[in-house]
Amino acid sequence: MKNSKGGIYRRFVKRPMDFLLSLIAIVVLSPILIVVAILVRTKLGSPILFKQQRPGLNEKIFMMYKFRTMTDERDNNGELLPDHIRLTKFGRFLRSTSLDELPELFNILKGDMSIIGPRPLLVQYLPLYNNHQKRRHEVRPGLSGLAQISGRNAISWEEKFNLDVEYVDNIGFKEDWKIILLTIKKVFVREGINSETSATMEPFKGTNNERRMDL
């Protein structure tokens, strides 16, 4: 059963709070945004921003912005090299400090995203979700979320999706601010950036047949 207080917060408070906080953050962090943009241009070249379509609220597709962290190195056939090769030391630093995520503040300002919510994943994952996992799209995707403060890339996809749905069911002002404060702490200690077997996170390939059943 959905929390009535959470429904009021979601409908009347969360979006104005997101707009205000993202606007303040953009103004306060503008010197950092400029410096990082210059460094990305110098070390990785153009384009400075990584742009990619992601599914948002109700699976509506939007263009998400991040600072670029990889080179465009390709093999003899013109295919991009694996992530762990293209991800430079500078790129790893941007990811470990979450500085690469700062342009998403503009997505929040526009209303594509929220400060807190399930992370926006790849469009090609949409057909792979079961009905339980699809519920992560009942709210706007977030800059950070319950899964990010609970392990980020160090936990399994199934654990992430369960945490996403748990957030959807328990959304509220107190819960959001708890996640915001814990996110700040996680950024400073740089926890859970990578999975155990990949430079970032293994692609989601769907759950097994039992787990794919409607819950």
Side-chain angles (χ1 to χ4, degrees):
M1 183 178 295
K2 293 186 178 180
N3 187 323
S4 60
K5 290 184 179 180
I8 294 173
Y9 167 70
R10 176 180 167 183
R11 290 180 61 189
F12 301 110
V13 179
K14 187 172 174 65
R15 175 59 193 151
M17 185 179 78
D18 284 336
F19 181 86
L20 182 61
L21 289 178
S22 60
L23 182 61
I24 292 173
I26 289 170
V27 172
V28 172
L29 298 175
S30 57
I32 296 177
L33 284 162
I34 293 171
V35 170
V36 173
I38 293 172
L39 289 174
V40 170
R41 178 66 178 84
T42 302
K43 294 179 177 293
L44 299 176
S46 294
I48 293 173
L49 293 179
F50 170 77
K51 303 176 183 179
Q52 190 174 61
Q53 290 188 327
R54 298 289 176 96
L57 177 64
N58 298 321
E59 300 184 5
K60 180 181 178 181
I61 306 302
F62 70 96
M63 188 67 72
M64 187 187 75
Y65 310 113
K66 297 175 70 171
F67 279 124
R68 181 181 178 187
T69 59
M70 294 186 184
T71 67
D72 287 328
E73 293 177 90
R74 299 175 182 268
D75 59 23
N76 294 332
N77 297 319
E79 298 293 329
L80 287 171
L81 294 175
D83 288 358
H84 71 276
I85 295 177
R86 296 189 296 118
L87 184 60
T88 65
K89 183 177 180 181
F90 174 65
R92 289 181 185 275
F93 170 76
L94 290 182
R95 291 191 178 197
S96 68
T97 56
S98 295
L99 288 172
D100 64 316
E101 310 278 1
L102 290 181
E104 290 170 43
L105 290 169
F106 292 96
N107 286 121
I108 298 170
L109 197 66
K110 289 170 56 182
D112 297 326
M113 293 177 60
S114 179
I115 297 289
I116 301 300
R119 285 293 297 163
L121 301 177
L122 300 178
V123 174
Q124 55 260 41
Y125 291 170
L126 288 175
L128 302 178
Y129 299 140
N130 59 35
N131 284 349
H132 177 70
Q133 294 164 348
K134 281 178 178 290
R135 294 197 57 220
R136 69 192 312 276
H137 295 292
E138 292 179 9
V139 298
R140 285 185 178 87
L143 184 64
S144 183
L146 185 58
Q148 281 60 55
I149 65 168
S150 302
R152 199 172 175 177
N153 287 341
I155 60 177
S156 70
W157 281 113
E158 284 74 16
E159 290 173 309
K160 281 186 178 184
F161 295 144
N162 286 336
L163 288 167
D164 289 341
V165 175
E166 180 181 336
Y167 172 77
V168 171
D169 287 337
N170 296 283
I171 189 169
F173 181 83
K174 181 179 178 181
E175 289 74 14
D176 273 7
W177 275 100
K178 178 181 178 182
I179 294 173
I180 289 173
L181 295 176
L182 286 174
T183 297
I184 295 172
K185 176 184 175 183
K186 291 282 183 180
V187 167
F188 279 108
V189 298
R190 304 188 192 182
E191 289 182 354
I193 305 302
N194 301 324
S195 70
E196 294 181 356
T197 58
S198 173
T200 52
M201 183 70 186
E202 296 83 2
F204 177 57
K205 299 178 181 179
T207 51
N208 59 48
N209 290 334
E210 290 75 16
R211 297 292 296 277
R212 287 291 298 278
M213 293 175 62
D214 294 350
L215 300 179

